[in-house]
Amino acid sequence: MDMTNIDSITLDVADTTAADRFYSTAFGLGPQVRLRASQEPSAGFRGYTLSLMVSQPADVDALVGAALDAGATELKPVAKSFWGYGGVVRAPDGSIWKVATGAKKNSGPATRGIDDMVLLLGVEDVAASKRFYVDHGLTVAKSFGRVYVEFESGERPVKLALYRHKALAKDAGVPAEGSGSHRLTIGGGAGAFTDPDGFAWEAAAPAHSS
């Protein structure tokens, strides 16, 4: 029934071996993150961030620490905020990752378990992009006017959300300017298309078993 959500994201990276080593070491990510060799030029903010939602602050520290040890760059140090606890890093391939929890206190020993992965697209017009995605079969889960929209993910491993481009860059701790490729392709059941902000979708390929 739920054929229109995200099965995987593909990151364009200069060196797939190095990127694979980084993601395995830093986040232990599985088949939902794929890597594709590409030299397509990209400068500044790529217009999206990836968020890993975890259960408690200790898990944030564990994942951010592992990412920094594996070669990530700190964009926003881990800190408490009114909504919880989190930090932002840039992977060696240039993609931006936020690790966060809504919990204020630890409930047990640190793990590197990830509860949710969210792809946040920075868009020029949240209302227009929301309409576009609803027309492509996605179901809205939460919507805050022209500011933020989150779509239902069902059983799929990656959740999609839309945020204003400048606000997303600010949240990530980077300037909003950017040019060139997004260096990201979204794989899902909605088929192949490009959204109003130039993000490309492709039909989800079956997971390769190795």
Side-chain angles (χ1 to χ4, degrees):
M1 180 180 98
D2 183 24
M3 284 300 292
T4 47
N5 285 329
I6 303 177
D7 291 293
S8 65
I9 54 154
T10 300
L11 300 175
D12 289 348
V13 299
D15 182 338
T16 53
T17 307
D20 188 50
R21 191 182 313 123
F22 170 78
Y23 287 112
S24 305
T25 307
F27 301 138
L29 292 172
Q32 70 268 42
V33 176
R34 298 172 181 193
L35 303 167
R36 183 183 291 156
S38 169
Q39 300 292 341
E40 223 177 319
S42 183
F45 182 44
R46 294 180 185 171
Y48 74 90
T49 64
L50 288 150
S51 287
L52 301 175
M53 305 307 294
V54 299
S55 298
Q56 57 177 358
D59 302 349
V60 174
D61 291 335
L63 285 164
V64 170
L68 295 174
D69 288 347
T73 308
E74 186 177 76
L75 292 177
K76 275 194 173 178
V78 169
K80 286 180 182 170
S81 68
F82 70 92
W83 52 262
Y85 185 79
V88 184
V89 299
R90 194 196 305 270
D93 63 81
S95 55
I96 294 173
W97 294 78
K98 181 176 190 172
V99 185
T101 179
K104 303 285 172 101
K105 291 202 289 247
N106 290 320
S107 51
T111 76
R112 288 175 61 200
I114 294 162
D115 298 336
D116 270 316
M117 185 169 153
V118 185
L119 169 61
L120 268 157
L121 301 182
V123 302
E124 288 306 321
D125 184 335
V126 170
S129 291
K130 173 184 165 184
R131 274 196 306 277
F132 176 87
Y133 277 111
V134 168
D135 288 346
H136 279 78
L138 276 76
T139 304
V140 174
K142 291 179 196 164
S143 181
F144 300 99
R146 294 178 172 271
V147 180
Y148 177 82
V149 176
E150 191 176 287
F151 297 97
E152 296 280 1
S153 59
E155 296 300 307
R156 300 303 166 95
V158 185
K159 190 179 279 186
L160 178 69
L162 310 174
Y163 203 27
R164 286 184 299 208
H165 180 93
K166 283 183 178 166
L168 185 61
K170 186 179 177 187
D171 185 62
V174 295
E177 295 71 38
S179 63
S181 169
H182 289 302
R183 296 181 75 89
L184 169 84
T185 307
I186 305 164
F193 58 87
T194 300
D195 85 354
D197 292 274
F199 289 99
W201 285 62
E202 63 188 5
H208 296 293
S209 51
S210 51

